[in-house]
Amino acid sequence: MAGLVLTTKQAQIQDQEKDESVIQSGVKCVQFPDDVTLKELWSRLRDGSHTWSPYALNARGGLIDPTPHRLMQLSVFPEGQVVPPLLLLRSVQEALTQETACADSRLMRDRNLELASIDYWLSHAATCPSIAASSSNLLLTIPGIVGEVWGTYGSDIMHIRGHKWTRDGGDSEIQSLARRLSASLESIFPKSPAEQFFISVALLRATKVMQCIRYGTSTLWVQNIFDDDILVYLT
C-alpha cells in the first residue's frame, strides 16, 4: 500500500463527491459488509463463482464484474480512463497490528474477499487502453514481471509482514522498501505511471496470496494421502 501511495504521489482524485477515507492513491480501507461492492462480491463467492486477475492463466473467463458503483480519475491514468477505488479490508490490515488467531474464520473470509476485491479492481483497470494496449503487452508479461520483482524483494516483503506493525516502530522500514520498489518500477516504465500502479497492485495481490497460504489452514496432512494412495496421486 505504501508503494501505491508513492507511485501516485502526484495523483489528484477528480471526484465530485470527496471522500476523506479515499487517499490520493485511490485506495480505500473499508469494513465488511459496509461497502456495497464487497457485498456483491461476497454474494458471488458464496454462490460458487470465482474471481481471477485478468492476466491469470486458465482464468475461466476472468471476473464477472458487478455494476461499478463509483469510478474515479487518478492522475496515474490518462484523462478519461477511470477506475473504481481499490477496496482493502480494515480487518485484514488490523490483523497485522494485534494478536489474531490464524484460524479465525472471519479473518480467513475477509482475506479471501480482499483478494476478490483486488481482482475486481484489476479487471476494471485492465480495460483501460493504457493497460490493455500497453507497449509492454502488460497483460501477458505481468506474471513474469511480478515473479522477477518477487524474486528480488519477496523475502523483504514477507519479513516486514511477519512482524506486528506499528506506526512508530515499522513505518520507516516499510517506506524504505516502498521507495526501492517504486524506483525499480519507474526505471523500467519511466513514461507509464499507470503501468507502474497496475504492477504494484498485482504485486500486492501476490503478497496477500502468500499471506493467505502462510496463515491459512495447514495442508501438510494431504501429503500423507499422496504418499500412501497411488490412485489418489494419479487422479
Side-chain angles (χ1 to χ4, degrees):
M1 184 170 171
L4 298 178
V5 175
L6 280 177
T7 304
T8 58
K9 59 185 177 181
Q10 302 299 324
Q12 298 294 329
I13 299 175
Q14 305 297 324
D15 192 8
Q16 293 180 350
E17 182 187 354
K18 299 294 183 181
D19 188 338
E20 294 181 356
S21 64
V22 181
I23 60 178
Q24 283 190 329
S25 64
V27 180
K28 183 178 181 181
C29 288
V30 297
Q31 198 72 33
F32 180 78
D34 295 344
D35 187 88
V36 65
T37 300
L38 289 182
K39 286 196 291 187
E40 289 190 9
L41 283 172
W42 180 239
S43 177
R44 290 180 179 275
L45 291 176
R46 284 188 307 173
D47 291 341
S49 298
H50 299 276
T51 65
W52 302 84
S53 47
Y55 50 81
L57 296 177
N58 299 322
R60 304 185 189 183
L63 175 64
I64 302 174
D65 277 349
T67 303
H69 298 282
R70 183 180 181 189
L71 299 176
M72 60 176 60
Q73 177 74 60
L74 299 181
S75 65
V76 292
F77 285 89
E79 187 173 352
Q81 298 183 26
V82 292
V83 295
L86 176 61
L87 301 175
L88 301 180
L89 280 159
R90 191 172 294 116
S91 59
V92 177
Q93 185 181 39
E94 290 173 349
L96 297 175
T97 66
Q98 58 190 7
E99 294 293 341
T100 305
C102 294
D104 188 316
S105 59
R106 287 176 296 180
L107 181 57
M108 293 173 66
R109 175 205 65 191
D110 287 356
R111 281 185 172 137
N112 282 281
L113 180 57
E114 190 175 64
L115 287 176
S117 175
I118 296 173
D119 284 344
Y120 172 70
W121 188 92
L122 288 168
S123 69
H124 273 285
T127 64
C128 295
S130 56
I131 302 299
S134 65
S135 59
S136 59
N137 202 6
L138 195 58
L139 292 181
L140 290 180
T141 59
I142 194 171
I145 294 172
V146 170
E148 185 174 341
V149 173
W150 184 264
T152 303
Y153 298 101
S155 59
D156 292 336
I157 293 172
M158 295 307 288
H159 170 74
I160 290 175
R161 296 185 74 85
H163 296 285
K164 288 197 299 181
W165 178 83
T166 60
R167 183 169 298 278
D168 294 334
D171 191 51
S172 60
E173 192 176 8
I174 293 173
Q175 293 296 331
S176 175
L177 176 58
R179 282 192 293 270
R180 286 189 288 137
L181 272 169
S182 296
S184 177
L185 292 177
E186 188 174 1
S187 67
I188 301 173
F189 305 97
K191 296 182 180 180
S192 182
E195 290 180 80
Q196 296 174 37
F197 191 90
F198 191 87
I199 293 169
S200 296
V201 176
L203 180 62
L204 177 66
R205 184 189 189 278
T207 302
K208 287 184 174 292
V209 168
M210 297 294 181
Q211 195 171 33
C212 283
I213 296 172
R214 180 175 182 177
Y215 294 113
T217 304
S218 174
T219 57
L220 289 177
W221 61 272
V222 177
Q223 184 62 46
N224 295 329
I225 298 177
F226 286 138
D227 291 340
D228 297 338
D229 193 327
I230 187 64
L231 291 179
V232 171
Y233 178 80
L234 292 175
T235 302

